[in-house]
Amino acid sequence: MTLIRKAREYTRKLWVRVVIMGLLAFVALALTQLIEPLVPKDIATNLTGSAADRLLQIIANAMLSVTIFSITVMVTVYRSSSTQWTPRVHRLIIQDRTTQNTLAVFIGAYVYALVAIIMRELGIYVHDRALVLFGMTVIVLVVIVVYLIRWVLHLQTFGSLIDTTRQIEDVTRAQFKDRLENPCLGANPLIDDVPSDAQAICAKESGYIQHIYPEALNSMAEKRGVKLYLTKNIGQFVFLNEPLLMVGGFDQSDQCDGDLEGFASELQECIVLGDLRTFDQDPRFGLVVMGEVASKALSPGVNDPGTAIDVITRIGRILSNYSDEVARDRDTKLEHIYVRPLDPRDLIDDGFGALARDGREVVEVQQRLQVIMSGLMRHPDDGLGKAAREAAENYLRRSLHAIDFEPDRKRVLSSARDDVQNAVGREVAGAGA
């Protein structure tokens, strides 16, 4: 599983896809060399090398221009998205599969054409036997046309607000699904205090916890006969020499392969730290980014409450998939690891906290917040329902204090659920008296 996780990380990088397509170009040319001798001479001589040369020249000229244009569009979208919505969304757009695949195909086709032209000039491809080279070049052209059409269709929405928020919602929903299908990363839920005799493993550097390899951690803990308590969850920031995890049951006198320091170095390699938060294994970060998009829309310079309302609905849709990690069954349990479960209060604060504060005077935003909170209060999970109830009261209380116009106050108050209205209404009435 650790190798699979690492492979997934690399497949999201543009340069990996470009290298793969470049290697496929060499493979395609090698196949033409292997297939060419198998073609009967009377068929192979139907086409000369000049036919293939014209196609190769077209590909070489066109792909260079198209690739430069695509990179220009990509960079422009990255910069505009960071400026208009939030800089954090930049990392998500970089991993857009359609963009990465299109650029990789264009560059791979360019490499194919250049290498084929060089091989023709060196006489590796005989002028009188170029049928297989011509056929392979036609196949490359078909692939180019298909990806060019996909790229043009993708550009219709690429970088737009709707497309961006949908991407954030999709990746956040996917991370939630992965997390809840494998609760607490497949480990035991850390709901009790860490044993007092547990020894701390401290961070070697300051940074955000970007990735955890629980299978590798469990394997090392099983070999040592210890328990690992991950007191920090993915997405949290740790400082240099701050406890990163705790090791319980480690007795150095019984160890023959090294002391705690050596074991700590092995464990630290399985917890990746970086200067930025990422979406991998971190559903909370997706909620934070969505909240930032809504907050930016509520700024005076943008003044777009409709976007904030759309984001609020999307966050509510994501949180409706929540379930208690402690109560969920696990397909495979990593018995030697303990991980803190997601707290529904943190999830609601990540998604709604900033936009509820920034939109405290916007009636329409506060009304939608109360509607979504009312829906989450009906959630079958009691923890999420209670967290939504607390948040609804706090958001309503803040809004009523910020809004001076009485009809607007009544509109916001009427959008809340009856029990929330009664609780907050009594406080406001008491404060007014």
Side-chain angles (χ1 to χ4, degrees), residues 347-359:
L347 299 178
I348 288 180
D349 187 62
D350 290 336
F352 300 113
L355 68 89
R357 180 190 64 245
D358 296 337

Side-chain angles (χ1 to χ4, degrees), residues 179 183-191 212 214 217 228-234 325-326 330 337-342:
R179 174 77 185 222
C184 298
L185 304 180
N188 301 291
L190 180 56
I191 54 179
I212 294 176
L217 288 172
L228 301 180
Y229 303 92
L230 277 70
T231 55
K232 300 290 185 180
N233 225 324
I234 294 175
E325 290 187 283
V326 178
R330 293 155 178 75
I337 307 179
Y338 290 81
V339 175
R340 293 197 185 280
L342 295 173

Side-chain angles (χ1 to χ4, degrees), residues 139-183:
I139 293 174
V140 172
L141 276 172
V142 171
V143 174
I144 292 172
V145 171
V146 170
Y147 274 88
L148 189 59
I149 294 173
R150 290 183 60 190
W151 177 234
V152 171
L153 295 176
H154 186 61
L155 288 179
Q156 294 178 354
T157 58
F158 186 44
S160 66
L161 177 60
I162 297 298
D163 182 63
T164 301
T165 53
R166 186 179 291 121
Q167 284 191 56
I168 303 172
E169 180 186 6
D170 290 342
V171 72
T172 306
R173 188 192 301 275
Q175 294 303 324
F176 254 106
K177 181 180 178 181
D178 291 344
R179 174 77 185 222
L180 296 178
E181 286 181 351
N182 202 25

Side-chain angles (χ1 to χ4, degrees), residues 85-322:
W85 319 132
T86 169
R88 260 62 61 188
V89 80
H90 170 263
R91 298 178 61 82
L92 181 60
I93 298 179
I94 283 179
Q95 297 177 0
D96 181 72
R97 290 185 178 181
T98 301
T99 304
Q100 290 188 348
N101 290 338
T102 301
L103 286 173
V105 167
F106 289 168
I107 295 175
Y110 182 67
V111 171
Y112 170 87
L114 286 182
V115 175
I117 291 172
I118 292 172
M119 295 175 71
R120 282 278 296 138
E121 295 295 330
L122 293 176
I124 297 176
Y125 286 110
V126 182
H127 181 72
D128 296 332
R129 295 177 63 92
L131 179 64
V132 177
L133 176 62
F134 181 84
M136 185 63 72
T137 305
V138 170
I139 293 174
V140 172
L141 276 172
V142 171
V143 174
I144 292 172
V145 171
V146 170
Y147 274 88
L148 189 59
I149 294 173
R150 290 183 60 190
W151 177 234
V152 171
L153 295 176
H154 186 61
L155 288 179
Q156 294 178 354
T157 58
F158 186 44
S160 66
L161 177 60
I162 297 298
D163 182 63
T164 301
T165 53
R166 186 179 291 121
Q167 284 191 56
I168 303 172
E169 180 186 6
D170 290 342
V171 72
T172 306
R173 188 192 301 275
Q175 294 303 324
F176 254 106
K177 181 180 178 181
D178 291 344
R179 174 77 185 222
L180 296 178
E181 286 181 351
N182 202 25
C184 298
L185 304 180
N188 301 291
L190 180 56
I191 54 179
D192 299 321
D193 294 334
V194 177
S196 57
D197 61 344
Q199 303 183 57
I201 303 296
C202 297
K204 295 188 296 185
E205 59 179 339
S206 299
Y208 291 98
I209 300 179
Q210 294 182 336
H211 211 92
I212 294 176
Y213 299 105
E215 296 84 7
L217 288 172
N218 186 73
S219 177
M220 284 186 272
E222 186 176 4
K223 290 179 181 179
R224 297 276 186 164
V226 298
K227 301 289 186 182
L228 301 180
Y229 303 92
L230 277 70
T231 55
K232 300 290 185 180
N233 225 324
I234 294 175
Q236 287 188 274
F237 188 86
V238 293
F239 287 93
L240 175 67
N241 287 332
E242 183 179 358
L244 188 61
L245 71 160
M246 308 293 289
V247 180
F250 189 93
D251 187 355
Q252 295 192 39
S253 62
D254 295 335
Q255 305 298 327
C256 57
D257 297 330
D259 55 8
L260 181 60
E261 183 177 350
F263 184 45
S265 179
E266 296 176 3
L267 296 176
Q268 289 164 342
E269 295 297 325
C270 297
I271 302 178
V272 180
L273 300 180
D275 61 333
L276 298 172
R277 288 182 72 171
T278 65
F279 291 90
D280 293 340
Q281 291 186 319
D282 189 3
R284 290 185 58 183
F285 184 54
L287 295 175
V288 170
V289 174
M290 294 191 75
E292 288 180 346
V293 172
S295 293
K296 187 66 173 287
L298 292 171
S299 64
V302 179
N303 192 23
D304 181 17
T307 294
I309 291 172
D310 177 65
V311 170
I312 291 170
T313 305
R314 292 179 184 275
I315 295 174
R317 188 160 53 218
I318 293 172
L319 291 179
S320 64
N321 297 321
Y322 172 81

Side-chain angles (χ1 to χ4, degrees), residues 364-385:
E364 295 80 4
V365 171
Q366 292 301 321
Q367 285 181 308
R368 180 54 62 91
L369 267 175
Q370 291 302 323
V371 170
I372 297 299
M373 290 298 107
S374 297
L376 293 177
M377 279 185 248
R378 302 187 187 96
H379 196 277
D381 183 80
D382 292 337
L384 182 63

